[in-house]
Amino acid sequence: MKIRIAKLPGDGIGPEVVEQAVKAVDAVCERFGHSVEYTFAKVGACAIEEFGSAYPESTHKICMESDAVLFGAVGDPKYDNDPTSKVRPEQGLLAMRKQLGLFANLRPVETFKALVHNSPLKEELVDGADFLCVRELTGGMYFGEKGRLDNGDTAFDTNIYHRNEVERILKLAYGYAMKRRKHLTVVDKANVLESSRLWRQIAQEMAPLYPEVTTDYMYVDNAAMKLVTGPKFFDVLVTENTFGDILTDEASCVSGSMGLLASASVGEHTGVYEPIHGSYPQAAGKNIANPLATILSAAMMFEYAFGLAEEGKAIREAVSASIDAGFTTEDLGGTRSTSEVGDWVSARIKSSGK
Ligand code: IPM
Ligand code: MN
């Protein structure tokens, strides 16, 4: 198969971790006989510096013409500390999601046997937890009308959802629930928010269409607690954009490190495969960041974008092996650098095929 990947490392540790994922992709393509072509493009702070836009048209064109986007992270403290700044690196990611129509963000949370002790949660709580967070990605407060009134002293963000947006994400979540343990938890705040009541109403209409799936409804505050007191409860968790953003950072504690959580953003056009962690500017250029979340995102890319399950599995096996061998970065208790882990994983992918 011929694969065209748009490579968007972005800012901070993005370039370092994406480089390791590229090594894994190359290794798997070599082993399975695929040809791969990368097209580099800028997004985030680095794009603002060069083009004045966090997601320039030229980058969008490259994404549209590729089979998948391998993305690192965006963000720079320079902008974080300036709330009046008109352009922000994060706008690049949001524009990319919106323009590519990526309404669903899939964030699987799994535990690795060798790492359960690394979780801040009790071992017996997390051991065996395995669930999928489905976060709506192009609606809600992130994209609703926002602004300032009252000479800037009043600010608002609108949490708005249309039926179509809710139906399509729930349909997708039910699809995954059917393929998994047939348990869907719809997370909302229907006791307070009108938008949540719409979500719940639509979920209740759709539930009878999936009689094999057990659907339950949970308020987001309760879900936040359940994620740390009983994460094994969950199979597929679906929620709106802002709740999903918050809950998935929290959920990363289950696997032990933010550096392990991969994600796929899918929808209408080219899908984006990205780690859930941010640009971690304090670590940028130090070769200490954990590349596994990005490498695992590359595994998702083979599975979701190309339908190549064996290739995805080969990457996952190599990642698990590196963890079992203790060949990890500091956040996982190891002593290895970013590039050493990347080299180890790619060598393992190649050697396992022999
Ligand atoms: C994420 C990130 C982004 C988000 C930021 C960088 C805009 O936190 O992918 O979870 O809030 O969606
Ligand atoms: Mn986030």
Side-chain angles (χ1 to χ4, degrees):
M1 184 168 172
K2 193 166 184 303
I3 296 166
R4 291 164 310 168
I5 297 177
K7 186 170 100 174
L8 274 60
D11 309 318
I13 56 168
E16 294 158 61
V17 292
V18 165
E19 226 27 68
Q20 311 317 313
V22 164
K23 289 178 192 167
V25 170
D26 286 342
V28 100
C29 285
E30 186 185 313
R31 175 169 150 192
F32 289 86
H34 303 298
S35 79
V36 55
E37 190 186 290
Y38 302 94
T39 313
F40 170 86
K42 287 192 172 174
V43 63
C46 61
I48 296 177
E49 269 146 44
E50 186 172 339
F51 302 96
S53 156
Y55 185 57
E57 193 42 48
S58 54
T59 297
H60 181 58
K61 190 163 178 283
I62 289 170
C63 293
M64 288 295 283
E65 287 167 356
S66 302
D67 303 314
V69 178
L70 188 58
F71 172 81
V74 291
D76 189 308
K78 193 166 103 190
Y79 299 90
D80 291 343
N81 301 328
D82 178 10
T84 61
S85 173
K86 287 270 172 287
V87 280
R88 304 182 54 81
E90 288 78 6
Q91 287 166 344
L93 181 55
L94 301 181
M96 176 166 71
R97 290 171 177 170
K98 196 70 174 179
Q99 289 183 43
L100 293 172
L102 306 175
F103 61 84
N105 185 221
L106 312 170
R107 299 185 163 183
V109 179
E110 343 160 272
T111 46
F112 295 86
K113 269 267 180 267
L115 279 183
V116 282
H117 66 277
N118 202 61
S119 169
L121 306 175
K122 290 200 182 82
E123 254 184 75
E124 66 269 23
L125 282 184
V126 295
D127 191 13
D130 171 16
F131 56 98
L132 174 69
C133 296
V134 179
R135 167 188 175 194
E136 200 290 328
L137 203 58
T138 49
M141 261 200 286
Y142 274 63
F143 294 94
E145 196 187 337
K146 52 184 83 240
R148 295 276 182 120
L149 305 166
D150 190 21
N151 281 330
D153 289 338
T154 300
F156 65 94
D157 299 278
T158 316
N159 199 12
I160 183 165
Y161 270 103
H162 187 276
R163 168 174 283 275
N164 293 342
E165 296 174 298
V166 182
E167 278 175 359
R168 67 183 178 183
I169 190 81
L170 288 176
K171 190 171 165 208
L172 201 98
Y174 269 113
Y176 286 114
M178 287 294 287
K179 286 194 212 147
R180 295 177 50 102
R181 300 191 303 274
K182 301 190 169 57
H183 176 201
L184 180 69
T185 305
V186 182
V187 173
D188 62 29
K189 186 72 187 171
N191 51 345
V192 177
L193 303 177
E194 200 54 46
S195 54
S196 282
R197 284 192 278 274
L198 177 68
W199 272 71
R200 196 173 280 217
Q201 177 193 331
I202 295 172
Q204 284 169 347
E205 288 166 19
M206 288 174 72
L209 305 175
Y210 303 89
E212 290 166 59
V213 177
T214 306
T215 306
D216 45 38
Y217 304 91
M218 199 181 274
Y219 295 141
V220 62
D221 45 355
N222 188 214
M225 186 178 73
K226 194 80 183 163
L227 278 171
V228 288
T229 55
K232 281 185 258 188
F233 170 83
F234 297 104
D235 176 21
V236 178
L237 181 165
V238 63
T239 193
E240 61 98 68
N241 203 346
T242 308
F243 296 163
D245 177 48
I246 299 166
L247 292 180
T248 50
D249 263 31
E250 189 192 11
S252 73
C253 297
V254 172
S255 21
S257 169
M258 285 271 281
L260 282 175
L261 235 59
S263 91
S265 301
V266 298
E268 291 160 25
H269 303 291
T270 320
V272 173
Y273 297 83
E274 54 173 308
I276 89 145
H277 60 67
S279 58
Y280 192 16
Q282 307 87 320
K286 293 189 181 155
N287 202 20
I288 57 169
N290 185 352
L292 294 184
T294 317
I295 296 176
L296 288 168
S297 301
M300 291 185 85
M301 176 174 81
F302 279 96
E303 293 155 354
Y304 291 75
F306 314 138
L308 297 172
E310 280 302 306
E311 285 77 343
K313 205 167 134 208
I315 298 178
R316 288 179 192 288
E317 273 169 358
V319 166
S320 298
S322 77
I323 292 172
D324 289 342
F327 204 99
T328 56
T329 44
E330 224 174 306
D331 56 309
L332 298 181
T335 56
R336 303 298 173 169
S337 68
T338 310
S339 54
E340 281 174 333
V341 172
D343 289 338
W344 197 98
V345 169
S346 69
R348 173 78 181 206
I349 293 169
K350 287 186 212 165
S351 67
S352 305
K354 296 205 170 111

